[in-house]
Amino acid sequence: MRIVHVINTIDPSAGGPSAVVTRLASAQVRLGHDVSIVTGFDPARREQIEQSLPSVEGFDRVSLVKIEPPRDGVKGLFDTGFERTLDGLAPIDAVHMHGVWDPPLLRASKWCKRNGVPYYIRPAGMLDDWSLEHQSAKKKVALAIGFRAMLRNAVGIHALNRHELETIRRRGFNRSLHQIPNGVFLEEIERETEPGAFAFKVDGLDGKPFALFLSRLHYKKGLDILAEAWVRASDRVGGAHLVVAGPREDDSIDGFNTRIKEAGLQDSVHVVGPIYGADKTAAFRDARCFVLPSRQEGFSVAITESLALGTPAVVTRDCHFPEVGEERAGVETSLDAGEVAEGLVAMLADASAAREAGERASALVRERFTWPAIARATLTMYGEDADEPSVPVGASGVERDRVES
């Protein structure tokens, strides 16, 4: 099967979707398919992009087709670069698009419709209520000028969790919905790192238990909530520290730093910038817990990686990862800073409880969320597997709720 993934950028600063598409493509290649990724590419970000690419079996056989520079804004609506690239890759059996609001996706959908190629869209949380309310005027215009048609004309929508699936169904963007989560490659999470390797590199952290926040530094990710939670929890966690890692995307980290400084907690907080590859794996392993008080997530790659590595998570219900609470793989909270603080205390102040939660976390991911199983589910969505046909939600009341490995 000839599969082409289309995404505006695979720059890691764009968040989880870039990590997802490269790993999903690798897993599909392993199953014997011909897979390409068509993406915008900024040469000035080459080093950061290359550091983030997976070193897993299969990725070396994925065709990475780079279009320079990335196509953003109004100009992208008239740029035919992605269409010309798809012409060069034809014949194509399925196009899998990642995101919603990027002009290259709209252009790719028009190419697919014109050429009779089925396409599928993974919105990655971009049709959630919070996301649609953010810059709502621009998104209403975008829907009116073609993005609604793009969504409706897709053969299927790839939702990451039940909440996203139900939200998309309620909004009527598409009748054929498929729930398939994100995952991990076990060989990525099982690579060896020296205990304390990450903590040793951070001045003032070596030997101390710590909570790890690892995500884009953006208002959506709840840095203001995290700051207030740390103010409330810091004197109850036995000298534990907080590490904040990720690329800056707006001024929310400035507000975070101001609140921490006002509370006199600078010595227990470390803002370290983005980390990738083995450093990221080591950070998860060294942390006593992961924390993400996000206002909205589709299916967080960071949460999945943390759990896979045996690090329990403190996450908000708005992360839409209920398995954390259901399987006691950490603590699920509301967006209230007090609740987040209690979750941090539960994990940081009791090493035994954190260790047991981490064991459950690792088992959870290995049983349900691995890329080989998820790749098979996407092929089912494309209709490749005749023994297990893709079932549109609403056609028979059947939904693919979970991928089992």
Side-chain angles (χ1 to χ4, degrees), residues 257-405:
N257 287 332
T258 297
R259 182 67 183 107
I260 294 299
K261 186 175 181 179
E262 288 173 350
L265 297 173
Q266 306 96 303
D267 290 345
S268 68
V269 177
H270 312 269
V271 179
V272 299
I275 52 177
Y276 306 114
D279 286 340
K280 182 173 70 168
T281 301
F284 279 128
R285 284 208 175 109
D286 287 353
R288 181 166 292 179
C289 71
F290 174 72
V291 57
L292 184 63
S294 182
R295 292 177 165 87
Q296 186 275 326
E297 295 292 325
F299 198 97
S300 168
V301 172
I303 294 174
T304 312
E305 290 177 335
S306 169
L307 300 179
L309 287 161
T311 304
V314 179
V315 299
T316 55
R317 283 185 281 277
D318 300 81
C319 290
H320 306 304
F321 209 129
E323 292 85 355
V324 169
E326 293 167 356
E327 302 298 330
R328 296 182 299 130
V331 181
E332 195 180 24
T333 77
S334 72
L335 287 167
D336 178 72
E339 285 195 27
V340 176
E342 291 302 319
L344 287 168
V345 171
M347 293 293 98
L348 290 173
D350 190 336
S352 177
R355 183 171 55 255
E356 292 172 2
E359 291 170 356
R360 292 188 290 268
S362 180
L364 165 67
V365 173
R366 290 164 187 269
E367 289 169 5
R368 302 187 193 177
F369 305 119
T370 60
W371 280 124
I374 290 162
R376 289 192 293 272
T378 61
L379 296 172
T380 298
M381 180 177 70
Y382 305 152
E384 172 73 2
D385 187 346
D387 295 326
E388 191 178 7
S390 182
V391 181
V393 173
S396 65
V398 177
E399 301 177 7
R400 293 185 59 79
D401 293 335
R402 179 177 292 169
V403 175
E404 302 289 351
S405 59

Side-chain angles (χ1 to χ4, degrees), residues 9 13 43 52 65 90 115 129 137 142-143 148 167 172 204 211 239-240 255 262 295 324 375-376 402:
T9 178
S13 66
S52 71
V65 185
N115 290 278
D129 293 338
L143 289 170
R148 185 181 297 277
T167 299
E262 288 173 350
R295 292 177 165 87
V324 169
R376 289 192 293 272
R402 179 177 292 169

Side-chain angles (χ1 to χ4, degrees), residues 205 208-211 230 234 237-242 268-269 288 348-349:
L205 184 62
K208 299 181 178 65
F210 66 94
W230 191 249
S234 59
V237 293
H241 285 217
L242 172 65
S268 68
V269 177
R288 181 166 292 179
L348 290 173

Side-chain angles (χ1 to χ4, degrees), residues 213-256:
F213 170 99
L214 194 158
S215 188
R216 292 178 295 129
L217 305 184
H218 186 278
Y219 171 76
K220 185 179 83 166
K221 304 297 183 175
L223 283 166
D224 54 331
I225 299 169
L226 180 61
E228 189 59 38
W230 191 249
V231 170
R232 300 186 187 196
S234 59
D235 63 349
R236 301 168 55 197
V237 293
H241 285 217
L242 172 65
V243 172
V244 175
R248 179 187 179 113
E249 200 161 289
D250 64 12
D251 61 1
S252 58
I253 189 62
D254 297 332
F256 172 89

Side-chain angles (χ1 to χ4, degrees), residues 19-51:
V20 167
V21 69
T22 53
R23 286 154 179 83
L24 175 55
S26 301
Q28 290 173 333
V29 163
R30 290 189 191 188
L31 296 176
H33 299 278
D34 182 341
V35 186
S36 300
I37 299 172
V38 178
T39 180
F41 186 84
D42 182 355
R45 294 281 298 168
R46 181 180 300 276
E47 182 179 352
Q48 293 86 346
I49 292 171
E50 291 180 348
Q51 285 179 350

